[in-house]
């Protein structure tokens, strides 16, 4: 199990029930894997229905993964390699969350891993609904009891300098599909460049920031990126700071301070890096 986690859960193979709803017995606790030489800290827990949850900090990049899902349909376009899961934890209403796919199509990576980890650290009943995920096309729903212990998740967050409590999480429900609150729009959409060196042909990064009165963004955080050492987070951060926001409708008044989420997908149009790059953002 440790080797599988170190490899990003890409080699984890789990048997799945094909019923519309699956349930699991309580896990005893979150397990912790720490490998300082790899700059790796992983909190993980697995259930008897094959579902596995992991919160991982590796080389400063934070990720939350859900493994054991039915394998996603293969897609050739990296930008479409994502899943929407409907997640509810404790007494909070279930809500849609976006996930990216990795090399293993049964593993999904959260776009906003730290907020999800902070939800999970308190434990409680967790429901995960995969729209159309059952064999007959119906929604597939998982029901698990998260362990109440949060020590392992706390260590994974701390390893990546992520706070255990972040008041910005309260604004996530106010964001639209474009990552902006309903009252804000991009006046100048960020135009990030491809990372220097161009080691990878594809990757993504997710940035959160707070809008400022003059439309700039500040207090930006790279929420997650993939691959870990691809440089996509830094490249997306530089581009995001060049963007400008405005009140929706073009109003000239000061822009209110609000949380925004900006996601960048990168794909090289030529595997040999000879013909440039293709970059998309959440508004496209």
């Amino acid at each position: 199990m440790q080797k599988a986690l170190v490899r990003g859960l890409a080699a984890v193979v789990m048997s799945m029930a094909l019923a519309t709803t699956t349930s699991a017995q309580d896990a005893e606790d979150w397990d912790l894997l720490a490998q300082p030489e790899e700059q790796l800290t992983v909190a993980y827990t697995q259930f008897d229905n094959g579902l596995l949850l992991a919160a991982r900090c590796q080389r400063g990049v934070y990720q939350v993964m859900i493994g054991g899902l039915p394998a996603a349909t293969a897609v050739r376009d990296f930008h479409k390699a994502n899943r929407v899961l409907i997640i509810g934890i404790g007494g909070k209403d279930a809500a849609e969350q976006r996930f990216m796919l990795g090399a293993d199509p049964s593993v999904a990576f959260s776009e906003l891993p730290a907020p999800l980890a902070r939800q999970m650290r308190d434990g409680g009943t967790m429901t995960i609904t995969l729209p159309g995920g059952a064999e007959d096309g119906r929604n597939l729903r998982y029901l698990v009891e998260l362990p109440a212990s949060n020590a392992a998740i706390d260590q994974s967050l701390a390893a990546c300098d992520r706070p255990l409590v972040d008041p910005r999480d309260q604004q996530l429900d106010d964001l639209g599909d474009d990552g902006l609150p309903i009252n804000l729009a991009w006046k100048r959409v960020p135009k990030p460049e491809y990372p220097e060196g161009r080691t990878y042909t594809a990757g993504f990064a997710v940035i959160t920031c707070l809008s400022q009165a003059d439309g700039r963004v500040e207090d930006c955080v790279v929420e997650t990126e993939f691959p870990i050492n691809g440089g996509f987070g830094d490249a997306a951060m530089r581009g995001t700071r060049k963007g400008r926001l405005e009140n929706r409708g073009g109003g000239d008044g000061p822009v209110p301070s609000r949380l925004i989420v900006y996601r960048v997908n990168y794909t090289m149009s030529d595997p040999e890096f000879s013909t440039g790059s293709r970059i998309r953002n959440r508004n496209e």
Side-chain angles (χ1 to χ4, degrees):
M1 175 59 70
Q2 291 186 357
K3 291 182 179 179
L5 286 166
V6 171
R7 295 169 185 165
L9 300 181
V12 174
V13 178
M14 297 175 248
S15 60
M16 301 300 303
L18 296 178
T20 302
T21 300
T22 66
S23 62
Q25 296 177 358
D26 295 359
E28 294 180 359
D29 203 345
W30 288 82
D31 293 299
L32 183 69
L33 167 65
Q35 294 188 343
E37 68 280 6
E38 298 290 339
Q39 301 178 50
L40 174 69
T41 302
V42 186
Y44 64 97
T45 187
Q46 189 169 10
F47 301 90
D48 63 357
N49 62 0
L51 202 67
L52 184 144
L53 306 177
R56 177 177 72 179
C57 176
Q58 186 169 20
R59 294 185 172 87
V61 176
Y62 200 67
Q63 296 173 320
V64 167
M65 296 160 278
I66 299 178
L69 300 169
T73 303
V75 294
R76 299 185 63 182
D77 189 341
F78 178 79
H79 304 294
K80 298 179 181 178
N82 58 67
R83 271 183 156 171
V84 173
L85 302 180
I86 303 171
I87 295 179
I89 301 175
K92 188 171 182 179
D93 292 339
E96 290 187 355
Q97 297 190 29
R98 285 170 54 98
F99 287 74
M100 284 294 299
L101 300 178
D104 185 338
S106 69
V107 178
F109 295 77
S110 172
E111 269 197 358
L112 296 170
L116 179 55
R118 285 189 283 266
Q119 283 185 271
M120 294 192 300
R121 65 189 289 269
D122 292 330
T125 302
M126 180 178 186
T127 60
I128 302 173
T129 302
L130 179 59
E135 189 176 46
D136 59 3
R138 291 183 295 168
N139 292 346
L140 182 64
R141 184 172 179 264
Y142 300 89
L143 175 65
V144 297
E145 290 296 327
L146 295 181
S149 173
N150 54 36
I153 292 181
D154 288 1
Q155 290 187 54
S156 74
L157 287 164
C160 271
D161 295 323
R162 304 304 173 95
L164 302 184
V165 178
D166 190 341
R168 304 197 314 174
D169 291 353
Q170 302 301 316
Q171 298 187 47
L172 290 173
D173 291 341
D174 298 331
L175 301 180
D177 291 339
D178 59 358
L180 301 178
I182 192 171
N183 57 331
L184 296 184
W186 286 111
K187 182 177 183 179
R188 184 168 74 227
V189 178
K191 296 295 183 183
E193 297 179 357
Y194 214 86
E196 296 180 4
R198 300 184 175 185
T199 306
Y200 293 96
T201 60
F204 73 87
V206 180
I207 311 292
T208 58
C209 302
L210 291 177
S211 58
Q212 304 299 300
D214 61 0
R216 294 180 300 161
V217 294
E218 298 289 348
D219 300 319
C220 295
V221 175
V222 179
E223 294 291 342
T224 194
E225 60 184 292
F226 181 85
I228 287 175
N229 58 347
F232 294 107
D234 288 343
M237 181 77 82
R238 291 193 297 269
T240 304
R241 287 172 173 158
K242 297 176 184 178
R244 293 293 182 271
L245 292 159
E246 65 179 353
N247 294 311
R248 198 171 293 273
D252 295 330
V255 172
S257 178
R258 295 288 186 273
L259 178 72
I260 67 104
V261 176
Y262 183 71
R263 172 196 174 140
V264 188
N265 293 315
Y266 296 85
T267 299
M268 295 302 298
S269 54
D270 187 316
E272 299 300 325
F273 310 130
S274 61
T275 59
S277 62
R278 181 158 54 99
I279 302 174
R280 293 182 181 173
N281 58 60
R282 291 187 64 148
N283 295 311
E284 294 180 312

